[in-house]
């Protein structure tokens, strides 16, 4: 290859990192690395004090640390965007077509059940670890699609769509898990108030109210009610999103416009800030053999082994019995590679890990840190292994002919 061709290829590969779908994943990787470096540096005390230092007593307001404001407050925006995406997909997207949604729904269900089973098997049924069963259950959309974005057209469009839909169904399952399994006490008066707010928002939807200000104000009110009800506050984001009208009175695409407006804020501010606040782990307290402890090993095994086994085996079985068709233009090796990429948990796994081992004691803190080590390790292995398989086994030579195609 001539020197100009090498230079052109290098420029093309570098620019591929900054494509929208790829950059989000690269950003999350960078944030996780920075958080780990800072948490184990000379400024680690300042890092943990910034996020976990108390602002005031919980008697004043429930959210009394910056970490809680991010996880229980700012992440409502993340779940709001998830809710908008889910509603759009259910009404006019891939999940609205029974034939198109059967395979990813089956794959997502298996891809949540198998990691949980692997986790419980590796964890050995230890009572202290049982609550972490759902940590490896969800796929990080931005991270997984970012890796696929680096591969350009090497991944068939039908398989990209399959991965995206599986991740969306995963999000639906994760939200349900949070609401059902990580809610311990319920305050009925606040839950009733939340139901009333949702009722008003549904009525506004039926009247096709086009102004966003009333929806925004009621979303804040709903968040406050859910925050004190005992159900995790971020569920308010999903509920509020489901009440946003698809179209305003003038026929404008209200929900889609709002989704497009919020996605950049969510992808480049909310999720990275959440990752920076939650991915930092002081590994000096855990020891060099921390990865061999039951919790991080169970989480990593759930992500790396459980995800690919659950999803790939379900797809293979459903296709072989004739229930569904294989994603168009895809080989079994490519489907396997994408199944591995579904083991990138990151955002939702970190979130569930925080809920699973809540508490202020040293034991709970160590469990949260071990869960993070397992999440980061499992997600990294899944990303590298999935990328490697798809990169080396591709059978789509059209990438060689398209100068705009990102191939890394």
């Amino acid at each position: 290859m001539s020197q100009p061709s090498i230079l052109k290829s290098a420029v093309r590969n570098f620019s591929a990192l900054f494509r929208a779908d790829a950059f989000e994943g690269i950003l999350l990787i960078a944030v996780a690395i920075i958080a780990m470096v800072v948490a184990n540096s000379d400024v680690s005390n300042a890092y943990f004090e910034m996020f976990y230092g108390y602002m005031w007593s919980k008697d004043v307001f429930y959210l009394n640390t910056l970490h809680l404001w991010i996880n229980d407050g700012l992440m409502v925006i993340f779940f709001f965007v998830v809710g908008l995406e889910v509603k759009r997909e259910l009404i006019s997207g891939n999940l609205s077509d029974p034939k198109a949604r059967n395979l990813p729904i089956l794959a997502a269900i298996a891809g949540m059940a198998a990691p949980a089973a692997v986790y419980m098997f590796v964890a050995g049924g230890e009572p202290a670890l049982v609550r972490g069963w759902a940590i490896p259950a969800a796929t990080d959309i931005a991270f997984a699609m970012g890796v696929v974005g680096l591969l350009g057209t090497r991944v068939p469009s039908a398989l990209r769509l399959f991965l995206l839909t599986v991740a969306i169904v995963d999000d639906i399952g994760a939200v349900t898990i949070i609401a059902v399994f990580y809610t311990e006490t319920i305050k009925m008066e606040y839950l009733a108030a939340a139901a009333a707010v949702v009722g008003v928002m549904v009525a506004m939807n039926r009247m096709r109210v086009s102004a966003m200000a009333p929806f925004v104000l009621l979303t804040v009110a709903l968040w406050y009610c859910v925050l004190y009800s005992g159900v995790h506050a971020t569920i308010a984001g999903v509920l509020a999103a489901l009440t946003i009208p698809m179209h305003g009175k003038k026929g404008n695409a209200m929900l889609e416009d709002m989704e497009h407006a919020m996605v950049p804020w969510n992808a480049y501010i909310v999720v990275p800030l959440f990752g920076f606040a939650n991915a930092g782990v002081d590994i000096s307290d855990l020891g060099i053999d921390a990865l061999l402890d039951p919790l991080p090993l169970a989480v990593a095994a759930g992500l790396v082994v459980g995800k690919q086994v659950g999803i790939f085996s379900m797809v293979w079985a459903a296709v072989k019995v004739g229930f569904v068709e294989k994603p168009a233009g895809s080989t079994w090796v490519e489907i396997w590679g994408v199944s591995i990429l579904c083991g990138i948990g990151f955002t939702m796994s970190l979130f569930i890990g925080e809920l699973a081992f809540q508490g202020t004691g040293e034991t709970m803190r160590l469990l949260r840190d071990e869960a993070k080590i397992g999440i980061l390790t499992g997600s990294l292995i899944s990303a590298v292994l999935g990328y490697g398989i798809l990169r080396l086994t591709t059978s789509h030579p059209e990438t060689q002919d398209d100068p705009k195609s990102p191939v890394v």
Side-chain angles (χ1 to χ4, degrees):
M1 184 181 292
S2 65
Q3 188 171 354
S5 297
I6 294 174
L7 180 60
K8 186 183 295 185
S9 177
V11 171
R12 187 179 65 190
N13 291 343
F14 181 75
S15 65
L17 299 178
F18 296 93
R19 286 165 52 92
D21 51 357
F23 183 68
E24 292 179 25
I26 298 298
L27 179 61
L28 291 183
I29 295 173
V31 165
I33 292 173
I34 293 171
M36 287 295 292
V37 170
V38 171
N40 291 275
S41 69
D42 293 337
V43 296
S44 61
N45 289 337
Y47 169 84
F48 289 110
E49 179 61 28
M50 177 175 67
F51 288 115
Y52 295 95
Y54 293 118
M55 299 175 177
W56 47 70
S57 168
K58 279 199 174 183
D59 294 334
V60 176
F61 188 60
Y62 176 76
L63 305 184
N64 63 348
T65 67
L66 181 57
H67 182 260
L68 283 175
W69 271 106
I70 292 171
N71 284 30
D72 291 18
L74 195 62
M75 281 296 282
V76 172
I77 297 175
F78 170 81
F79 281 89
F80 186 82
V81 174
V82 168
L84 292 175
E85 188 170 32
V86 167
K87 181 172 182 177
R88 175 176 53 78
E89 290 291 335
L90 286 171
I91 293 177
S92 60
N94 300 310
L95 295 177
S96 65
D97 182 357
K99 290 184 178 180
R101 70 189 178 207
N102 284 340
L103 181 59
I105 287 178
L106 287 173
I109 292 172
M112 297 185 79
V118 170
Y119 174 94
M120 292 300 292
F121 175 79
V122 177
E126 291 189 29
L129 306 184
V130 170
R131 282 181 57 82
W133 66 270
I135 294 174
T139 297
D140 189 289
I141 295 179
F143 212 142
M145 294 304 294
V147 174
V148 170
L150 292 174
L151 291 159
T153 55
R154 285 180 178 274
V155 180
S157 58
L159 205 50
R160 286 169 172 261
L161 193 57
F162 169 78
L163 173 60
L164 179 62
T165 311
V166 167
I168 291 171
V169 177
D170 260 359
D171 280 344
I172 298 173
V175 169
T176 304
I177 287 171
I178 291 170
V180 175
F181 295 99
Y182 293 104
T183 297
E184 296 180 353
T185 58
I186 296 292
K187 295 182 179 178
M188 295 306 299
E189 64 274 21
Y190 282 102
L191 197 61
V197 174
V198 172
V200 173
M201 297 181 77
V202 170
M204 289 167 55
N205 177 297
R206 294 294 179 86
M207 293 185 292
R208 299 182 70 182
V209 173
S210 298
M212 290 310 308
F215 284 101
V216 172
L217 291 174
L218 286 173
T219 297
V220 174
L222 177 61
W223 167 77
Y224 183 86
C225 293
V226 176
L227 177 68
Y228 279 96
S229 71
V231 178
H232 199 272
T234 51
I235 301 301
V238 177
L239 293 175
L242 295 179
T243 68
I244 303 299
M246 287 292 293
H247 299 91
K249 286 184 178 180
K250 297 182 179 180
N252 57 304
M254 191 170 171
L255 183 143
E256 193 168 344
D257 289 346
M258 174 170 277
E259 183 182 356
H260 288 166
M262 295 189 69
V263 161
W265 292 91
N266 183 57
Y268 302 127
I269 296 179
V270 175
V271 174
L273 185 56
F274 168 82
F276 183 67
N278 287 273
V281 181
D282 184 356
I283 59 177
S284 64
D285 292 342
L286 299 176
I288 195 169
D289 59 343
L291 269 176
L292 299 180
D293 289 344
L295 179 54
L297 193 59
V299 171
L303 289 171
V304 177
V305 179
K307 272 292 184 181
Q308 62 171 299
V309 169
I311 292 175
F312 183 79
S313 61
M314 177 58 74
V315 173
W316 184 86
V319 171
K320 289 302 179 181
V321 299
F323 185 70
V324 295
E325 294 182 358
K326 189 171 63 171
S330 305
T331 67
W332 283 114
V333 174
E334 289 168 340
I335 293 172
W336 177 43
V338 166
S339 299
I340 295 173
L341 288 183
C342 289
I344 303 175
F346 201 71
T347 305
M348 197 65 81
S349 292
L350 286 172
F351 194 84
I352 294 176
E354 290 287 331
L355 296 179
F357 303 113
Q358 293 185 81
T360 56
E362 185 67 15
T363 299
M364 287 294 105
R365 186 187 70 80
L366 288 174
L367 288 175
R368 286 194 298 270
D369 286 349
E370 286 196 339
K372 292 176 185 178
I373 292 294
I375 293 165
L376 295 174
T377 303
S379 295
L380 179 61
I381 292 173
S382 296
V384 173
L385 186 58
Y387 174 88
I389 290 172
L390 291 170
R391 178 68 178 83
L392 297 174
T393 63
T394 179
S395 58
H396 300 275
E398 65 269 19
T399 55
Q400 305 299 325
D401 302 322
D402 183 2
K404 296 181 180 179
S405 174
V407 182
V408 181

